[in-house]
Amino acid sequence: MALPPDDGHDIFSEAHPALHPSITSIPVTPGVTPAGRSSYFQSALSTANTEGPHWNANSYFAPDGDTSTASQGDTSTASQGDTSTASQGDTSTTSQGDVPDSPSKLAAGARSGADLLRRLSLVDGNQPEITDRDPRVVHPGLNLTGGLISATFCIPHAVEFRGGADWSLKSRRGTSALFDSFSHLSSPKTPWSHTLVGWTGEIEQASDVLSPPASPPIPESNSKAVGGKPLPAPLNKASAPVPVDGSARPQVYSHGEGLRITKADRQRLERQLLRDDGGKIVPVWLTDEQDDDVEAICLKDQSRWRRYAEHELYTLFHYKQHEPTDGRAERKWWTDYYRMNQMFADRILQIYKPGDIVWIHDYHLLLLPGLLRQRIPNMYIGFYLHIPFPSSEFMRCLSRRKEILTGVLGANMVGFQSYSYSRHFSSCCTRILGFDSSSAGVDAYGAHVAVDVFPIGIDATAAAQIAYGDQGVEKKIKGIRELYAGKKIIVGRDRLDTVRGVAQKLMAFEIFLERYPEWVGKVVLIQVTSPTSVQEESEDTGNKISNKISELISKINGLYGSLSYSPVQHYPQYLSRDEYFALLRVADVGLITSVRDGMNTTSLEYIICQRDNHGPLILSEFSGTAGSLSSAMHINPWDLGGVAHAINIALCMPSGLKQTQHKKLYKHVTTKTVQAWSNTYLKRLLINLSSFNQSIATPALDKAKLLSQYRRGRKRLFMFDYDGTLTPIVKDPQAAIPSDRVIRTIKTLASDPRNVVWIISGRDQAFLDEWMGHISELGLSAEHGSFIRNPKSDEWENLTEKTDMSWQKDVMEVFQHYTERTQGSFIERKRIALTWHYRRADPEYGAFQARECKMHLENTVAKKWDVEVMTGKANLEVRPTFVNKGEIAKRLVEEHGHNAEEPIEFILCLGDDFTDEDMFRALLNAKLPQDYIFSVTVGASSKQTLASWHLLEPSDVISTIALLNGAADAGDFGTLAIVDGKAPETSVQGL
């Protein structure tokens, strides 16, 4: 049924019933008015000026002042007095059934992540969202504050600097759906106290001319004068200048050394953004200065913060690769990328309160979840990627692939636009990092990271309000129809970059005109290409993309056009909002041919605008929205003939079929809105937080903190395991010999007189003597602490020489029994311990036999003798209970720690398996400040550990030690930049 009009001009009098508030049971953002303002503050806007700036979520439209248009009609807009929106009407909702009282009831009995997802999928999608209610009441166990911090790369404003005056704030184009989401979360419609954290973007010096020549008259209430002269009318309310003494000389800022911004100016912008109508905004100042309290910062080469993300990540995530280079530029970009993410983390921690939720967005901030997890291990973190995620074959080509993946895995839940992207992410975590994964998520470092799919939508109410409630749109429609009278109109709107498939669209259209000549003169393709926001594409110095498009258009118009007819109308510009929605409304076919895309808002807005015409939508199957819009006509943009055939089918489609397809699409777009997307994501995040114990996650090693403490420490203690820590695990234990780099790195570390370095291994004396014994400064401990050799000594001390070893006979009999029945297994006999290895056996059968063997030993030998059975990596070891690495660690800490004349101020302990937990336990009980102690587990196991940090593999251990030695790898340049306050100028080891 349709909503009754209240003034004869109701825009939803013919709307689909899915738009009725009693059906859509999710809170929707009030529409954007024809003036481009938020309706949250409509009552304030109807009076005098409001204090804060106004940003329009639909910010990819050109300002009203733009005169370059696709049609030649009237450019006037509707009266700004008409500000009624559908969302201001009936807000009552009908009951959609009982909702579980808490997520714990919903998830009760779930045996795994996959089972939890299955249970969530059974929930009726029309039920009221859990986030409509106070999350602190729904999830009492999480101790939530109700605070929500969203982190995105750029704030919704493009800012211009005026020294000593208010900043000029203009709407930033692009990512309109995301900005709509922030506006929704900041509204009274949700229970969240929302704060947006983002970079200011590239700051420009404001022009000396404050208004164009044709400025409107100044209202009397604002016609204040300074120095006897009236102020010119500002470009908009947000950019109104502060009155100053007109006789004073303006302050001059030098551009040669960058843009200099004082602390007072920064605080002024922060105050302006705190009053923002779209919600509270906290800017991040990306600068070389490390101290936020410096009087003035100098902004140089501001675009460098984008380069790694937009040159390396964006291109590879869209399945494009660069030509090989020497890597110098990439290393510099990576340093800036790491520093940028670190500065975001610092800014978030300034406003974070325990119990807040942090929601991080997109590929510019892939490291941020891990950096925040390092600082606050129990933080609630969500991450959402708005662009595609590549398959593991492409991800392997990224030199910093491990750092990127481990950074994202710092989140509690990772969201994607489509299932294929989530599957690729889980696959990369398994194939590149070695983590166990499933469709429900990834098990990493003792915790479960949920992976889920959340197709984003648009603000359907606001789009419909603009498309059908603005008289300016109606005038544009009239002008376009007169201009293309008697012709079918195909519409395409894309950004000018290679992944949007504009060239494929034009080539397919050429084939269409060739194969179906009856359409020549009867159809026109209107293609709008707006400038790209991605630096990689915008720096197309050779104009390859635009030149290719121009050549194709000239060819098509030359072959099939005439003096009175051009089959392709190309507009390489931003359209005004009125023109854009008018074009979508008059279109007969929507054509989107992206070759790789995340979320495509044009397709969703086209469906809203086709409420009356029911024009078919031709959508690339490589678009992220294709999986959600199943009723659209899906095409392969690389199959040009197939696209041409689809165009013909769309133009000839019977009205009944068009209406049926559009009805399904319209229902999806008007129910799966950006508001529903926000609510669903947060609801699922809270359920996952309630369902899985997140306190056991082990964050990645904070190398910046490690390096800082290392440099401060006057005496340092190092304790390293050998197998799986300094060298990888191999099938033959005798083949696990240290590489030249391992030996050089350890020798350099031990040569520093302030360092005490020990290797505490399960290996026997002979092996350690052979491969490490020549490093005289190195202390050695064999067989888990049974034997020790002090630095600068050749003598081994037996700590267990008085121990009764009769138990070994009973253990040998059991081991021999299982060795005969497990092909590939063997026994290693040490002086103190006995080890049964099955790493050469079939993995599954070997693990099964190990469990049986352990049970056998615990029920027999362990009850008779004072021994323990230890499970290692593909081995079982039996040893006396008093022999363990923890005793050696405790002895070394006491010897060199608080009892020493010069106490230890830095401890680094690294190990990879269960036997190393004894060292970590001993360090937890050490009487030293915990800031001095870095206990690190190594490996991709999902085990729970007593260690405080983790590293992925032995190569990361060596890189970390090399960093302490002053020989950083390229991946650690960002760490050096954070600690030193500047980027490394020369390349060093491992480049």
Side-chain angles (χ1 to χ4, degrees), residues 332-450:
K332 187 174 183 301
W333 298 341
W334 169 256
T335 301
D336 290 332
Y337 185 75
Y338 184 94
R339 294 179 64 203
M340 177 191 72
N341 278 262
Q342 188 70 59
M343 284 186 274
F344 264 84
D346 294 339
R347 191 61 160 152
I348 289 173
L349 292 178
Q350 290 175 5
I351 61 175
Y352 171 81
K353 302 183 298 295
D356 286 353
I357 288 178
V358 179
W359 189 2
I360 302 167
H361 294 270
D362 228 3
Y363 63 101
H364 292 91
L365 303 176
L366 292 173
L367 300 180
L368 185 54
L371 294 174
L372 290 172
R373 184 71 63 200
Q374 290 174 351
R375 309 276 283 276
I376 303 181
N378 296 329
M379 182 182 285
Y380 302 143
I381 304 174
F383 179 84
Y384 188 86
L385 185 67
H386 293 259
I387 65 172
F389 195 90
S391 64
S392 60
E393 287 78 9
F394 264 80
M395 193 66 185
R396 287 177 184 274
C397 300
L398 189 66
S399 59
R400 305 267 72 87
R401 59 197 182 185
K402 291 191 300 182
E403 291 87 343
I404 293 297
L405 291 173
T406 54
V408 175
L409 288 174
N412 299 107
M413 186 174 77
V414 184
F416 296 92
Q417 174 73 17
S418 74
Y419 174 72
S420 62
Y421 304 157
S422 68
R423 179 169 52 85
H424 289 162
F425 175 77
S426 298
S427 175
C428 286
C429 291
T430 299
R431 295 175 181 271
I432 296 175
L433 301 181
F435 292 125
D436 293 333
S437 66
S438 66
S439 59
V442 180
D443 294 323
Y445 307 115
H448 177 78
V449 179

Side-chain angles (χ1 to χ4, degrees), residues 602-621:
T602 302
S603 60
L604 306 179
E605 289 160 342
Y606 173 79
I607 292 168
I608 291 293
C609 292
Q610 288 294 310
R611 188 185 69 188
D612 300 325
N613 294 348
H614 308 138
L617 172 64
I618 302 176
L619 181 62
S620 168
E621 64 187 46

Side-chain angles (χ1 to χ4, degrees), residues 26-27 102-104 106 116 120 128-136 138-139 142 144 146-151 178 180-187 189-195 355-361 380-384 386 411-416 450 452-456 673-691:
I26 51 103
S102 69
S104 58
L106 186 66
L116 177 62
L120 293 176
E129 295 286 349
I130 292 178
T131 46
D132 292 351
R133 301 156 61 190
D134 192 332
R136 292 169 291 187
V138 180
H139 303 272
L142 296 180
L144 297 173
L148 173 62
I149 301 173
S150 294
L178 183 59
D180 279 339
S181 170
F182 297 150
S183 180
H184 165 65
L185 293 171
S186 299
S187 74
K189 297 286 186 178
T190 70
W192 299 104
S193 173
H194 181 255
T195 303
D356 286 353
I357 288 178
V358 179
W359 189 2
I360 302 167
H361 294 270
Y380 302 143
I381 304 174
F383 179 84
Y384 188 86
H386 293 259
N412 299 107
M413 186 174 77
V414 184
F416 296 92
D452 213 335
V453 180
F454 304 92
I456 195 171
T673 62
V674 71
Q675 294 84 7
W677 170 77
S678 304
N679 294 345
T680 301
Y681 183 95
L682 292 171
K683 177 187 73 173
R684 193 68 58 87
L685 174 61
L686 293 173
I687 291 176
N688 276 288
L689 291 171
S690 300
S691 304

Side-chain angles (χ1 to χ4, degrees), residues 934-984:
F934 295 84
S935 56
V936 184
T937 187
V938 181
S941 173
S942 59
K943 66 183 179 184
Q944 298 179 19
T945 178
L946 295 174
S948 301
W949 310 93
H950 77 248
L951 285 172
L952 186 61
E953 56 189 4
S955 62
D956 296 326
V957 172
I958 303 306
S959 296
T960 301
I961 300 173
L963 172 66
L964 302 181
N965 288 338
D969 288 350
D972 292 324
F973 276 18
T975 299
L976 283 176
I978 294 297
V979 176
D980 295 339
K982 62 180 181 179

Side-chain angles (χ1 to χ4, degrees), residues 310 314-315 318 320 322 494-507 527-554 570 572 593 595:
E310 298 183 2
Y314 181 87
T315 52
H318 286 83
K320 299 193 299 179
H322 296 293
D494 308 273
R495 289 181 181 168
L496 190 60
D497 54 47
T498 54
V499 301
R500 306 299 172 178
V502 179
Q504 286 83 350
K505 181 186 303 184
L506 293 171
M507 288 188 284
Q527 175 63 43
V528 180
T529 53
S530 55
T532 181
S533 61
V534 179
Q535 190 180 77
E536 165 71 12
E537 301 285 358
S538 62
E539 292 181 357
D540 179 20
T541 54
N543 294 319
K544 295 179 181 179
I545 305 172
S546 57
N547 288 344
K548 184 174 183 179
I549 291 174
S550 297
E551 291 173 1
L552 288 169
I553 293 172
S554 299
H570 181 220
T593 55
V595 296

Side-chain angles (χ1 to χ4, degrees), residues 557-578:
N557 288 340
L559 287 174
Y560 301 100
S562 64
L563 291 176
S564 59
Y565 169 66
S566 295
V568 179
Q569 298 290 328
H570 181 220
Y571 299 96
Q573 63 191 57
Y574 286 111
L575 292 185
S576 70
R577 183 186 60 200
D578 294 346

